[in-house]
Amino acid sequence: MTAGWREFTGRHGIGVALFVGLGVGFWVLFLIALPQIAMFDFSLRHNLPRAELGGPNDVYTLSNYAAFFRTSGGQANWLDMGVLFKTIVAAVFVTIIDVLICYPIAYILAHSARGVAARLMVIGLIVPFWVNEILRAFAFRVIFGATGVINGVGMGMGLWDTPVDFIRADVALYSGLTYAYILLMIFPIYNAVEALDRNQIEAARDMGASWWRVHWRVVLPMAKPGIASGATMVFMLTAGALAAPQILGGPSNLWFTQVIYQWFNDAGDWQRGSAYATILLVSCMLFVMLAMRVFKVSIGAIGR
């Protein structure tokens, strides 16, 4: 740590080093740590009237967490636990789709596209994200709606006779979430693959390795930290998404963030909402750590 700080200071100067250090410290302390600590403290409190705050009834409790697992009648709270499980599974599904789509794009951008083609690819990836996320979600609802573009084209070509309900089938939701975070997957993979020496790929091809074997044995080991970094961001943001599930989700679809939103805003129970938000955060972190262990990727490798 000290050696790294000295190297950074020697390369960029003490002024830049202090600016970066203070900026990162402010970000971590005031925008991440303190809000999470405040939310955790809220989750351990009773939902009391304002007049009773600070009084004898204002004590710490685990009842908000217990309510996630059991209802007031003592029965298992399968509804909330099922919604959390479904949210995590859906986030994994979206992450896998993003990896499958973004890996070849990142590889082409790093090792195949040159000059104007590379610049056009980058522009084509970035410019659509100038549009607000909510507007893009509504655009997907228009595209996948009963009178939308896809149903219009499909019915016009005679592929189906009646409109397909892509909203109820969650096709629109998964498509919107996959598109929403695609850049967060492409650029980490691109940064990892770009560092790969092209001579290694050419050597593998000269030795008769097939296309898939070159990627499996040469490219993927190099890209694994980038894939892990992108997958972590996409998974966490997908599991914590609210706008897209609200706009694109079907009537029978409920995202866990919507449950949290209901406790905070509809029920006015910030303590229960904080507990549910903490449960979501801890569940996602544990899942990510488990996945990193399974795929043998360290945090240090992701940081590079």
Side-chain angles (χ1 to χ4, degrees):
M1 181 72 177
T2 304
W5 174 257
R6 289 177 179 174
E7 181 182 355
F8 185 85
T9 304
R11 180 180 301 177
H12 300 284
I14 186 66
V16 174
L18 286 175
F19 176 79
V20 172
L22 291 174
V24 172
F26 177 84
W27 175 274
V28 172
L29 180 62
F30 290 98
L31 301 181
I32 299 178
L34 291 182
Q36 296 296 330
I37 293 173
M39 185 178 69
F40 181 67
D41 181 72
F42 257 106
S43 71
L44 297 174
R45 303 280 186 173
H46 289 286
N47 184 26
L48 300 174
R50 184 178 295 272
E52 297 185 24
L53 295 179
N57 294 328
D58 191 7
V59 295
Y60 287 110
T61 177
L62 293 175
S63 60
N64 294 311
Y65 290 94
F68 171 76
F69 298 99
R70 292 205 172 270
T71 63
S72 58
Q75 302 295 324
N77 191 359
W78 294 116
L79 176 61
D80 289 344
M81 288 189 288
V83 172
L84 176 60
F85 177 77
K86 182 179 178 181
T87 300
I88 291 178
V89 171
V92 172
F93 181 68
V94 170
T95 303
I96 293 174
I97 295 175
D98 265 341
V99 171
L100 296 177
I101 293 174
C102 296
Y103 173 78
I105 295 175
Y107 177 80
I108 292 172
L109 188 60
H111 287 280
S112 298
R114 292 290 183 271
V116 177
R119 289 192 290 271
L120 288 176
M121 284 187 66
V122 173
I123 293 173
L125 290 169
I126 293 176
V127 168
F129 286 84
W130 290 0
V131 180
N132 183 273
E133 180 182 357
I134 295 178
L135 296 179
R136 282 187 272 118
F138 276 111
F140 270 87
R141 189 172 183 88
V142 171
I143 292 172
F144 287 98
T147 58
V149 176
I150 294 181
N151 269 313
V153 173
M155 294 173 65
M157 296 177 62
L159 299 179
W160 53 83
D161 298 327
T162 58
V164 178
D165 195 347
F166 292 109
I167 304 296
R168 186 180 293 273
D170 292 333
V171 175
L173 176 58
Y174 290 145
S175 300
L177 288 171
T178 299
Y179 179 73
Y181 308 118
I182 197 169
L183 290 184
L184 297 178
M185 183 69 74
I186 288 179
F187 288 118
I189 299 177
Y190 168 80
N191 289 333
V193 173
E194 189 185 29
L196 179 64
D197 188 355
R198 292 180 60 86
N199 292 329
Q200 292 180 281
I201 299 175
E202 295 299 331
R205 288 177 175 174
D206 291 341
M207 295 178 66
S210 60
W211 180 89
W212 71 268
R213 192 170 182 82
V214 169
H215 282 270
W216 183 257
R217 299 297 297 273
V218 179
V219 182
L220 275 176
M222 194 73 179
K224 189 163 67 170
I227 294 174
S229 177
T232 300
M233 291 188 288
V234 170
F235 172 79
M236 296 295 283
L237 290 173
T238 301
L242 178 61
Q246 289 274 60
I247 298 170
L248 298 173
S252 61
N253 188 305
L254 187 63
W255 219 253
F256 196 70
T257 48
Q258 293 174 284
V259 177
I260 297 172
Y261 179 88
Q262 290 170 2
W263 281 114
F264 270 104
N265 294 279
D266 298 339
D269 192 341
W270 285 38
Q271 290 74 18
R272 184 71 62 83
S274 297
Y276 276 43
T278 302
I279 290 171
L280 175 62
L281 174 64
V282 172
S283 300
C284 290
M285 290 179 63
L286 290 175
F287 184 86
V288 168
M289 293 172 64
L290 176 63
M292 291 172 60
R293 187 175 182 86
V294 170
F295 292 102
K296 299 180 181 179
V297 178
S298 64
I299 295 180
I302 294 177
R304 291 198 297 270

